[in-house]
Amino acid sequence: MRNYLKSIICLGVFSIILPFSLPTFSLETNININPIEIAQNRTPNTYVKVQDMNSLVMQIDEGDYRFRGILKRAGSTEFIGNDRQSRVVFNPYSGHIMVFNVATGTEFYNYYIEPVSGVGEDPSTMCDPETEPC
């Protein structure tokens, strides 16, 4: 009888403790890991210069990633440029930059910089803030 009571007590204790000590299927949750999300939180060093009314020169540097190229006007508000590894879509009026992997189409960066002034203007009519106030 004594062994029987010990068995009942042990089973009772294990039935209370065991579900909390081992993971069960009812406690599992689905976790979506998106590696691009990490990249979207970084803001690379970005330099933009107006080349003419329909093209911008852009340089993006972040770690091992580098983009240097000319972005051409692709619509009323967007400029697009490519190199061998990435495609850059830039809205200079809002400062929104999206960078995609050319091979996979996966978004690699999605961030904002300060809007670029002088886009759509003839550079010969623009003032140079380094030499004169605008």
Side-chain angles (χ1 to χ4, degrees), residues 83-125:
D83 65 8
R84 286 183 282 161
Q85 65 181 354
S86 55
R87 171 174 291 124
V88 176
V89 179
F90 177 51
N91 181 333
Y93 306 104
S94 67
H96 188 206
I97 298 175
M98 294 178 291
V99 179
F100 299 92
N101 181 310
V102 170
T104 64
T106 307
E107 184 178 273
F108 189 63
Y109 289 108
N110 188 338
Y111 64 100
Y112 287 84
I113 62 170
E114 290 293 318
V116 176
S117 61
V119 177
E121 294 181 41
D122 183 353
S124 65
T125 64

Side-chain angles (χ1 to χ4, degrees), residues 50-55 73 79 93 118-123:
V50 177
Q51 187 174 26
D52 61 39
M53 293 174 59
N54 294 310
S55 60
R73 185 180 293 275
F79 288 73
Y93 306 104
V119 177
E121 294 181 41
D122 183 353

Side-chain angles (χ1 to χ4, degrees), residues 35-91:
I36 296 171
E37 186 175 332
I38 295 169
Q40 291 174 341
N41 292 331
R42 298 183 303 216
T43 303
N45 292 326
T46 306
Y47 307 96
V48 181
K49 182 178 180 185
V50 177
Q51 187 174 26
D52 61 39
M53 293 174 59
N54 294 310
S55 60
L56 304 170
V57 176
M58 180 174 276
Q59 177 178 328
I60 302 172
D61 294 315
E62 200 278 322
D64 291 335
Y65 176 76
R66 304 246 187 287
F67 174 85
R68 287 172 179 80
I70 297 175
L71 281 61
K72 296 289 186 180
R73 185 180 293 275
S76 62
T77 61
E78 288 188 338
F79 288 73
I80 296 177
N82 295 335
D83 65 8
R84 286 183 282 161
Q85 65 181 354
S86 55
R87 171 174 291 124
V88 176
V89 179
F90 177 51
N91 181 333

Side-chain angles (χ1 to χ4, degrees), residues 18-29:
L18 193 59
F20 295 106
S21 63
L22 296 174
T24 63
F25 291 109
S26 63
L27 296 176
E28 289 183 17
T29 58

